[in-house]
Amino acid sequence: MAGQPQVWLGANFWSRTGGPLMWRNYSPEVVRDELRVLHDHGLRQTRSFFYWPDFMPTPDTVDEQKVAHYQDFLDAHAEIGMTSIPTFLVGHMSGDNWDPEWRGGRDLYADVWLVSRQAWFVQRMTERFAGHPAVAGWLLSNEMPIYGRLRHEPKAPTEQVSAWAQLMVQAVRAGGGTQPVSLGDGAWGIEVTGVDNGFSVRETGAMVDFVGPHVYRIDSDPVRQHLIAAFLCELSAVADKPVVLEEFGLSSDQVSPENAGHYYRQTLHNSLLGGSTGWVAWNNTDYDDLIGQGPYSHHPFEMHFGITDHTGAPKPPLHELAAFAEVLEQVDFARCHRSDARAGLVVTEYLERGYPFTQDDDRPLIFDTLHQAYAAAREADLPVGFTRERDGVDADCDLYLLPCVKQIQGPTWQRLRERVAEGAVLYLSYTAGEVGHHRQPWIPYFDETFGVRKGITYGVVDEVTDEEVVFTFAEDFGGIERGAALRFRVSGNEHSRSFLPVVPDGAEVVATDAHGNPALLRCATGQGQAVLCTYPVELFAARSTRVNPDDSHRLYAALAEVAGVSREVVVDDPKVFADVVVHEDRRRFAWLVSQHAEHATVSPRTTGSLRSLSGEPLSEVTLPPFGVEVVELKS
């Protein structure tokens, strides 16, 4: 902004005087008290909301009293040195939808009159506030996929959604808004989630200045849970725009205070390492005095998502945000970037695009195994980027990871085979999929690529009957020595709980299972090699509870060594992640993120030395439970 890098760190904001109805019960004094607490803890932004029924009472008017309240709200930000991100079309929030009385059931995307009324409102509100120094950016809506179409209704057609988004962005620009603009849709489009809700992150990404994931997913594994926001930030980069973690948080009705702090800490730091450059927590305060008011009356846990309680006292999440703000300042994060990655997780095009006679029910497998593979890569301290098939796989990777990939485009597979011949390592783990149709791979030239002969019986899977699969290594492989064993808990349904019987035909058997079957093979081709895992180990883990770290991190670390992928900082304990961030002045900072529920002391391995951010030499680092430590790398 204005030629300078900006980092947003703040909270979504409804005053405790009214929640969504705060503009009817506006208190300048309470708002200033609430902002002061946020500011004192290092937060500099809020995301704020025009409750649509209040601000636009008729199709061609705005409520001047509400506008005056919002003017004072922005003035309060300017007084204390904060900014806000106004959100225009707020018809959904915290488990409830509401309409202006005059909407009359018209379609928000397709009814030309209603679209024009929305654009009129966006333009008028922008004209009022575009020149205010406290406006940092604009958001068109709040979670429009929920407001625009209820779950029982058909999804909105993508062409209508994209046209609506284009017109709303144009309304901001017509109103004189030059600040960054985005949708507020949650980045829940098919490219990120695998679910087609009509919002295409690719299409709308071309219209906006940043993408804003909203993350409230839950998982059965603590490590995956701590990485889900980072994983979604990685996928949101498909738009090739900055990623701002626009909503995340939890209700203290559903978690202990200590675990709320752990979740915030993990989400903030892991998402930073996953590419986020901004964070806006949900939300600023609790609403105990509003228990009789919707949405809190029927969703009472929504009262307690606050980072302060209903008196304004800080809760553990606000303390974590304050500590995070200090780290951002210490490393001058606005001028940092991620370290280079020479390993790529391949995102198959079938996650984000349907083809004739393909099925949507294949997509959960793609999403979940990618998520699990991402966790394994983090446990292995493997710098990994996402390379998307639809964009053409990146040609500068030394290692390509295809975890449990059942479907891939023919030309993509040919290109991956070429990369192997040119010197790269290609890893694929077999899966039959999780559904009864086409429950075997779609991959051409499979035998030729991996130097095997498949033993599949058409239509019939080869069931895994063991509760645990054990790989015993017949030769050294990366850092895994001959005779070592990797163990994988078995899970899945009647389709996916299966393996691939093969006979080597040019490949070397690296490891066998407990029954003497080839479990891991490699086939040299040209300058590189293709590595085949005959078991869906990532899918087994993805369908297991509390499984991480499983031994797939050892496999990924070995693959990195075989491919010559450098890991700048390595912690031998897989429950402590290590990753590197680089300042533009060439300083390098290592993040150490613990998944231990107790204190853990580690001795990171690096080619240089470690120093604390205050300059003291370090040979080992002690991390508190689920703790994070940032250290500087010295060559």
Side-chain angles (χ1 to χ4, degrees):
M1 298 175 64
Q4 298 298 316
Q6 300 290 319
V7 176
W8 288 344
L9 181 64
N12 289 269
F13 190 99
W14 288 119
S15 179
R16 60 179 179 263
T17 61
L21 304 183
M22 65 173 282
W23 309 109
R24 301 180 189 179
N25 309 292
Y26 185 73
S27 168
E29 296 77 20
V30 172
V31 161
R32 282 164 173 78
D33 287 344
E34 292 169 324
L35 291 177
R36 190 173 300 108
V37 173
L38 302 182
H39 186 276
D40 288 348
H41 288 81
L43 277 61
R44 296 295 180 264
Q45 279 73 37
T46 66
R47 176 180 172 222
S48 49
F49 304 92
F50 301 138
Y51 181 75
W52 198 18
D54 281 359
F55 275 83
M56 194 177 179
T58 72
D60 54 4
T61 62
V62 296
D63 187 303
E64 293 298 336
Q65 183 185 48
K66 306 299 188 298
V67 170
H69 289 333
Y70 192 78
Q71 173 74 43
D72 180 77
F73 177 76
L74 289 182
D75 291 346
H77 282 72
E79 291 165 11
I80 203 171
M82 294 181 70
T83 59
S84 192
I85 309 161
T87 307
F88 296 106
L89 302 167
V90 183
H92 169 81
M93 189 70 66
S94 301
D96 208 352
N97 285 357
W98 47 74
D99 286 326
E101 291 183 358
W102 48 265
R103 178 184 171 185
R106 295 180 179 89
D107 191 288
L108 284 158
Y109 309 118
D111 185 288
V112 66
W113 180 83
L114 184 56
V115 171
S116 76
R117 294 301 81 208
Q118 294 173 75
W120 179 87
F121 177 70
V122 170
Q123 182 174 344
R124 291 296 177 271
M125 298 304 287
T126 305
E127 289 171 346
R128 297 293 183 99
F129 299 115
H132 200 291
V135 173
W138 311 95
L139 287 167
L140 300 182
S141 73
N142 182 62
E143 299 179 356
M144 201 71 170
I146 298 177
Y147 181 46
R149 286 288 195 280
L150 298 178
R151 291 185 180 182
H152 63 273
E153 296 176 329
K155 78 174 184 71
T158 298
E159 60 269 21
Q160 292 180 9
V161 170
S162 297
W164 167 87
Q166 184 175 25
L167 290 169
M168 297 306 118
V169 171
Q170 289 173 347
V172 172
R173 300 309 181 208
T178 59
Q179 300 91 339
V181 63
S182 192
L183 299 189
D185 64 315
W188 293 337
I190 190 170
E191 300 91 344
V192 176
T193 64
V195 177
D196 187 3
N197 63 4
F199 280 72
S200 166
V201 180
R202 283 185 183 274
E203 286 194 17
T204 58
M207 309 169 193
V208 300
D209 299 303
F210 62 96
V211 175
H214 295 191
V215 181
Y216 300 102
R217 285 178 176 260
I218 58 175
D219 202 286
S220 61
D221 178 82
V223 174
R224 289 196 300 261
Q225 183 72 66
H226 286 161
L227 287 173
I228 185 58
F231 177 64
L232 291 170
C233 288
E234 300 270 15
L235 289 171
S236 297
V238 65
D240 199 26
K241 295 291 173 68
V243 174
V244 173
L245 191 53
E246 199 172 86
E247 280 195 30
F248 68 97
L250 42 73
S251 171
S252 51
D253 290 335
Q254 300 174 318
V255 67
S256 70
E258 295 79 12
N259 284 327
H262 296 329
Y263 179 76
Y264 258 78
R265 186 183 319 115
Q266 291 280 327
T267 296
L268 290 165
H269 289 276
N270 284 324
S271 63
L272 178 153
L273 298 171
S276 180
T277 56
W279 300 265
V280 192
W282 186 269
N283 63 341
N284 65 303
T285 192
D286 287 346
Y287 303 102
D288 295 70
D289 295 334
L290 305 179
I291 194 169
Q293 171 189 306
Y296 312 115
S297 57
H298 52 80
H299 279 62
F301 72 96
E302 293 278 2
M303 287 191 301
H304 295 135
F305 272 82
I307 56 177
T308 69
D309 68 16
H310 72 288
T311 71
K315 293 164 63 177
L318 184 53
H319 293 304
E320 294 301 329
L321 285 160
F324 186 65
E326 291 182 11
V327 171
L328 296 181
E329 184 176 357
Q330 286 176 300
V331 303
D332 187 20
F333 179 69
R335 300 187 184 280
C336 290
H337 59 84
R338 304 172 78 185
S339 57
D340 291 340
R342 303 288 296 184
L345 265 172
V346 177
V347 183
T348 173
E349 190 167 359
Y350 293 86
L351 175 72
E352 61 174 288
R353 189 173 181 179
Y355 282 89
F357 306 104
T358 59
Q359 287 78 22
D360 293 347
D361 53 6
D362 277 320
R363 292 192 180 120
L365 178 149
I366 299 170
F367 181 92
D368 293 339
T369 52
L370 275 172
H371 184 195
Q372 173 60 35
Y374 183 64
R378 293 293 300 273
E379 290 162 353
D381 303 330
L382 174 59
V384 66
F386 283 42
T387 179
R388 302 191 75 120
E389 180 182 13
R390 188 170 178 182
D391 298 321
V393 293
D394 290 290
D396 62 351
C397 294
D398 297 318
L399 173 62
Y400 297 90
L401 299 169
L402 281 73
C404 302
V405 170
K406 170 183 168 183
Q407 300 154 311
I408 199 162
Q409 299 285 313
T412 304
W413 190 249
Q414 288 285 60
R415 180 58 185 136
L416 288 169
R417 296 180 73 205
E418 291 170 2
R419 287 293 299 123
V420 171
E422 293 164 356
V425 171
L426 168 67
Y427 162 84
L428 178 135
S429 51
Y430 165 82
T431 183
E434 293 186 303
V435 294
H437 50 78
H438 290 293
R439 62 175 181 181
Q440 271 136 2
W442 295 23
I443 298 171
Y445 313 117
F446 190 97
D447 290 7
E448 296 90 335
T449 301
F450 293 108
V452 298
R453 284 180 284 130
K454 297 186 296 292
I456 299 175
T457 300
Y458 178 70
V460 180
V461 297
D462 292 87
E463 182 184 3
V464 178
T465 57
D466 300 323
E467 293 303 313
E468 180 183 67
V469 170
V470 180
F471 289 10
T472 301
F473 279 73
E475 61 178 55
D476 294 346
F477 185 73
I480 302 175
E481 295 181 350
R482 178 181 179 181
L486 301 186
R487 299 178 180 276
F488 303 96
R489 189 195 308 174
V490 176
S491 190
N493 64 14
E494 69 271 25
H495 310 295
S496 62
R497 193 182 173 109
S498 58
F499 74 102
L500 175 66
V502 298
V503 174
D505 188 10
E508 298 176 38
V509 177
V510 176
T512 57
D513 66 14
H515 308 284
N517 301 310
L520 192 71
L521 306 97
R522 60 176 166 187
C523 180
T525 303
Q527 301 300 309
Q529 52 187 297
V531 179
L532 171 65
C533 180
T534 62
Y535 284 84
V537 294
E538 295 89 356
L539 191 151
F540 288 165
R543 296 292 174 258
S544 297
T545 62
R546 296 186 177 271
V547 68
N548 282 299
D550 80 340
D551 275 352
S552 54
H553 74 89
R554 295 178 62 190
L555 178 58
Y556 282 22
L559 286 164
E561 289 198 29
V562 170
V565 175
S566 173
R567 294 181 293 157
E568 192 169 357
V569 179
V570 177
V571 177
D572 292 328
D573 182 347
K575 296 186 79 171
V576 177
F577 307 154
D579 204 351
V580 175
V581 170
V582 184
H583 193 274
E584 64 182 22
D585 66 8
R586 299 187 180 181
R587 283 181 295 159
R588 306 180 78 82
F589 300 99
W591 256 254
L592 304 174
V593 184
S594 176
Q595 303 305 306
H596 286 282
E598 61 283 328
H599 282 77
T601 299
V602 295
S603 299
R605 292 187 283 114
T606 180
T607 55
S609 60
L610 303 178
R611 292 184 181 272
S612 69
L613 293 183
S614 58
E616 294 87 1
L618 298 170
S619 59
E620 61 181 26
V621 177
T622 298
L623 296 154
F626 301 108
V628 178
E629 188 73 26
V630 181
V631 299
E632 187 171 357
L633 299 177
K634 292 291 187 180
S635 57

